[in-house]
């Protein structure tokens, strides 16, 4: 008789944190102090899991739903999962959370005196993704980025104890720019999810229809639209870049890496002649290092 080997247990916390290696930007690079790295990874775990819930990318088996107290019949209901995640987040601040990702976050929140607002913003952004798939104006898109991107930069400043109103303003510009760049890289992938993050008013201005975004290669109108949005992102990065010079030491390296990553991605999009439809244009390491040097010298 052949023994049946049990399937290995799924570790939702480890599976979520392991995704850090695949991100466009280093989540907690080696050169940061160990305490910062631990806290940034805790924040990353929260943000990664909320995005996985919103995108329907949770590990199979329903482990996350069980941990959050969502019944099996609703394990694929993204809004129910987001509601449960928000309820568990609130326990971080006044009780004991159920999910290990939030259990890891709780000491960080206490140690760094972080408030719930940025975390709630990220949940609200993913809830909005379930209800809104098109944006009429650029201002509408900026309002979405206020929820989906800007909280991340504010959390980095909070973890490192460097928040000031001016730094938050600069950070918001950088984070919004990075979100726009990611949208430009992922036009085809987002369309496959029935999401379009190019403002409808801009599509009309450049005579671009959604059917044009489904092509294998971009025509002249689509390329002109992508170039226009890329310039907007470039301007936002330039607005935010003085944040780098306002801090010192290893934090300065980290923030320069964020700005450089955005600038290098825009250069990669331009090098592809703004044809993002075959797949996301990605910068090479040499380009990233070059942009990091320019940013650190304050030349950008």
């Amino acid at each position: 008789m052949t023994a049946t080997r049990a399937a290995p247990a799924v570790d939702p916390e480890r599976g979520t944190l392991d995704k850090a290696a695949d991100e466009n930007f280093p989540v907690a690079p080696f050169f940061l102090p160990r305490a910062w790295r631990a806290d940034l990874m805790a924040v990353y775990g929260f943000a990664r899991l909320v995005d996985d819930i919103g995108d329907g990318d949770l590990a199979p088996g329903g482990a996350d739903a069980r941990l959050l107290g969502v019944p099996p019949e609703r394990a694929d209901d993204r809004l129910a999962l987001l509601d449960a995640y928000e309820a568990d987040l609130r326990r971080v601040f006044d009780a004991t959370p159920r999910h290990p990702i939030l259990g890891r976050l709780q000491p960080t929140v206490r140690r760094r005196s972080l408030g719930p607002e940025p975390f709630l913003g990220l949940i609200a952004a993913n809830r909005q993704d379930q209800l809104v798939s098109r944006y009429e104006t650029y201002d509408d898109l900026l309002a979405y980025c206020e929820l989906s991107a800007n909280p991340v930069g504010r959390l980095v400043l909070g973890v490192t104890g460097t928040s000031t109103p001016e730094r938050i303003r600069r950070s918001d510009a950088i984070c919004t720019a990075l979100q726009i760049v990611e949208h430009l890289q992922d036009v085809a992938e987002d369309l496959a999810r029935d999401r379009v993050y190019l403002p409808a008013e801009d599509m009309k201005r450049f005579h671009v229809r959604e059917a044009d975004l489904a092509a294998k290669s971009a025509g002249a109108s689509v390329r002109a639209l992508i170039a226009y949005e890329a310039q907007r992102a470039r301007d936002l990065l330039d607005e935010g870049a003085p944040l780098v010079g306002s801090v010192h030491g290893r934090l300065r390296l980290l923030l320069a890496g964020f700005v450089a990553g955005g600038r290098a991605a825009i250069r990669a999009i331009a090098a592809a002649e703004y044809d993002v439809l075959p797949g996301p244009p990605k910068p090479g390491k040499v380009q990233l290092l070059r942009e990091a040097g320019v940013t650190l010298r304050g030349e950008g």
Side-chain angles (χ1 to χ4, degrees):
M1 182 176 180
T2 303
T4 302
R5 182 178 296 176
V10 175
D11 181 350
E13 181 184 15
R14 188 72 264 153
T16 299
L17 295 175
D18 283 348
K19 293 181 180 181
D22 298 325
E23 297 293 337
N24 285 334
F25 306 98
V27 173
F30 70 91
F31 57 76
L32 293 180
R34 181 178 296 179
W36 283 7
R37 294 203 310 269
D39 288 337
L40 289 173
M41 280 301 297
V43 168
Y44 169 79
F46 170 87
R48 181 68 268 167
L49 184 56
V50 73
D51 279 353
D52 285 349
I53 293 172
D55 290 339
D57 288 337
L58 292 176
D64 291 294
R66 287 193 298 275
L67 287 166
L68 292 171
V70 176
E73 64 271 16
R74 301 196 70 188
D76 294 325
D77 184 334
R78 298 180 193 180
L79 287 172
L81 287 165
L82 289 169
D83 288 346
Y85 198 46
E86 179 176 330
D88 209 28
L89 168 68
R90 294 185 184 279
R91 294 185 190 99
V92 168
F93 295 90
D94 59 16
T96 301
R98 297 173 174 174
H99 200 290
I101 286 288
L102 294 174
R104 172 186 285 258
L105 181 65
Q106 191 170 50
T108 293
V109 162
R110 291 174 175 173
R111 185 162 46 242
R112 306 299 180 183
S113 300
L114 302 178
E117 292 80 10
F119 301 104
L120 291 170
L122 293 172
I123 293 174
N126 278 273
R127 190 176 282 120
Q128 184 167 316
D129 274 335
Q130 313 312 309
L131 306 171
V132 180
S133 60
R134 307 292 189 276
Y135 292 86
E136 180 61 31
T137 69
Y138 182 61
D139 284 344
D140 292 339
L141 185 64
L142 293 181
Y144 169 73
C145 293
E146 180 71 23
L147 298 173
S148 68
N150 298 1
V152 175
R154 295 182 179 206
L155 286 167
V156 170
L157 294 176
V159 164
T160 57
T162 54
S163 293
T164 67
E166 178 64 10
R167 284 177 178 150
I168 288 172
R169 186 180 74 80
R170 301 285 189 184
S171 171
D172 285 353
I174 293 168
C175 290
T176 291
L178 295 178
Q179 180 76 86
I180 291 173
V181 170
E182 184 177 333
H183 288 160
L184 297 181
Q185 290 176 309
D186 294 340
V187 168
E189 179 183 333
D190 288 336
L191 186 64
R193 296 179 185 268
D194 192 31
R195 295 176 185 170
V196 177
Y197 294 104
L198 299 168
E201 66 177 6
D202 296 343
M203 291 177 64
K204 292 173 186 173
R205 175 181 174 182
F206 286 91
H207 307 289
V208 171
R209 301 167 301 160
E210 283 194 22
D212 299 325
L213 304 179
K216 292 182 179 180
S217 183
S221 295
V222 172
R223 292 175 194 243
L225 171 61
I226 298 300
Y228 178 73
E229 305 299 350
Q231 183 59 53
R232 280 177 153 170
R234 187 180 291 110
D235 292 342
L236 283 168
L237 283 174
D238 291 346
E239 179 184 338
L243 173 66
V244 176
S246 78
V247 299
H248 304 284
R250 288 174 278 188
L251 177 59
R252 190 177 180 194
L253 289 176
L254 178 67
L255 298 182
F258 292 150
V259 174
R263 287 173 167 166
I266 292 171
R267 287 191 182 276
I269 291 170
E273 297 180 339
Y274 302 100
D275 186 2
V276 297
L277 299 187
K282 299 283 189 179
K285 289 185 178 180
V286 172
Q287 185 64 54
L288 281 168
L289 289 171
R290 184 180 295 121
E291 293 292 347
V294 169
T295 301
L296 284 168
R297 292 191 299 271
E299 297 172 2

